[in-house]
Amino acid sequence: MKEQRTAMIFAAGLGTRLQPLTNYRPKALVEIEGRPLIEIQLERLYQTGWRRIIVNIHHFPDMMKEWISAYHRHPDMEILISDESDHLLNTGGGLKKAASQIGLTDGYPLLVHNVDILDNADMNVLASHFTSNTDAILIVSNRNTQRYLLFDKDNRLVGWTHTGTGEIRTPYKELDLDACRKMAFAGIHIIGSRAIATMQDYPDAFSIIDFYIRECNQLVIKGYNPPQLAILDVGKPEALQKATSFYHLYYS
């Protein structure tokens, strides 16, 4: 399948976990080694072949617009803005709005990456797992958490569980939890036009994970755990020191 190299960066969040750093700037402009998170993500996408990027914004939107407008490092990279400054749409609603803006209706998948996730995953390998009978591929990991996505023996998403409360969410009435593989979502996924078309009946604001769980018996949503995956959520100030080491190890 010939790919259209289009990606979305989720950058609209309030960054409350990064306060006080985000009291005066958006999370996407928090810096690691003097480089804003948004720049790190754009550069990595460019180096792996993505040339058309859409970024959603909400927190300090004027600062984000000014930064994106001034970013001219690659003349062949197109950066679009999905403006959520009036109303934060959550991950699912933000993706739905952005996909409508770029006209993702031709069958090509959209790569989606959280701005505050650093990783060493090969995005080209992720894209290669997307086929004509696939609706979404989620990068997952074995990290310890209480919230897990559930997959069957074929790595197809079948539900979600919270191990602390015992809650299970699934559209399958007879789901055997013991037969499921428990994996943590890494904040990176690739989604096709069939799944995005299914979103059209959803409200303006909703969670992409809630969408995936609710529709997993109708759409083919699979998990992919890259070999030797290294990933870091830079969502808290204490993670920034680790981010410096991570940056030098994988990005410099």
Side-chain angles (χ1 to χ4, degrees):
M1 177 179 179
K2 184 179 179 181
E3 299 172 39
Q4 180 181 351
R5 295 288 187 170
T6 304
M8 177 178 185
I9 298 176
F10 279 143
L14 298 175
T16 52
R17 294 183 301 158
L18 273 174
Q19 291 175 341
L21 295 176
T22 51
N23 287 344
Y24 306 101
R25 58 180 162 176
K27 173 172 60 177
L29 295 185
V30 170
E31 295 181 351
I32 298 172
E33 290 296 271
R35 300 181 70 189
L37 287 169
I38 184 68
E39 180 183 351
I40 293 172
Q41 301 297 356
L42 287 171
E43 285 299 307
R44 187 149 181 265
L45 287 169
Y46 185 85
Q47 295 302 325
T48 50
W50 271 261
R51 297 291 185 269
R52 188 176 185 228
I53 316 295
I54 187 163
V55 182
N56 69 340
I57 63 172
H58 173 80
H59 194 46
F60 294 103
D62 291 339
M63 291 180 66
M64 286 296 295
K65 290 176 183 177
E66 181 179 359
W67 190 93
I68 291 172
S69 176
Y71 184 79
H72 299 301
R73 180 164 298 177
H74 305 292
D76 58 338
M77 173 178 266
E78 179 185 15
I79 306 175
L80 306 171
I81 292 174
S82 180
D83 194 340
E84 299 179 24
S85 54
D86 290 337
H87 181 50
L88 193 59
L89 299 178
N90 206 330
T91 50
L95 196 159
K96 174 184 172 182
K97 181 180 187 296
S100 175
Q101 182 175 329
I102 61 177
L104 192 72
T105 59
D106 51 13
Y108 292 109
L110 174 70
L111 173 67
V112 185
H113 200 298
N114 287 1
V115 75
D116 56 357
I117 295 293
L118 302 181
D119 66 279
N120 69 341
D122 188 326
M123 300 305 161
N124 290 309
V125 173
L126 171 63
S128 73
H129 282 259
F130 192 95
T131 63
S132 60
N133 62 351
T134 307
D135 295 301
I137 304 287
L138 319 182
I139 287 188
V140 293
S141 74
N142 293 310
R143 68 177 173 86
N144 292 324
T145 182
Q146 289 189 317
R147 298 173 177 83
Y148 288 101
L149 294 175
L150 302 173
F151 296 89
D152 66 14
K153 60 182 178 60
D154 297 317
N155 290 326
R156 181 168 176 175
L157 182 68
V158 292
W160 173 94
T161 188
H162 190 297
T163 57
T165 64
E167 179 186 1
I168 299 173
R169 293 167 52 200
T170 177
Y172 294 95
K173 294 182 180 180
E174 304 296 331
L175 184 69
D176 181 1
L177 183 62
D178 292 334
C180 296
R181 297 173 61 245
K182 299 180 180 69
M183 303 295 290
F185 181 48
I188 308 163
H189 47 125
I190 191 164
I191 184 170
S193 57
R194 279 198 309 251
I196 290 172
T198 304
M199 295 178 177
Q200 300 315 305
D201 292 332
Y202 276 66
D204 289 342
F206 62 96
S207 160
I208 188 62
I209 289 299
D210 288 348
F211 169 81
Y212 283 147
I213 295 165
R214 182 175 177 179
E215 302 293 341
C216 65
N217 63 336
Q218 302 296 324
L219 299 172
V220 179
I221 303 166
K222 292 197 170 185
Y224 169 58
N225 184 11
Q228 299 179 325
L229 175 67
I231 193 163
L232 180 64
D233 179 354
V234 197
K236 297 180 180 180
E238 55 265 32
L240 292 179
Q241 287 186 338
K242 294 180 181 179
T244 298
S245 299
F246 194 103
Y247 176 88
H248 284 296
L249 184 60
Y250 294 107
Y251 291 174
S252 61

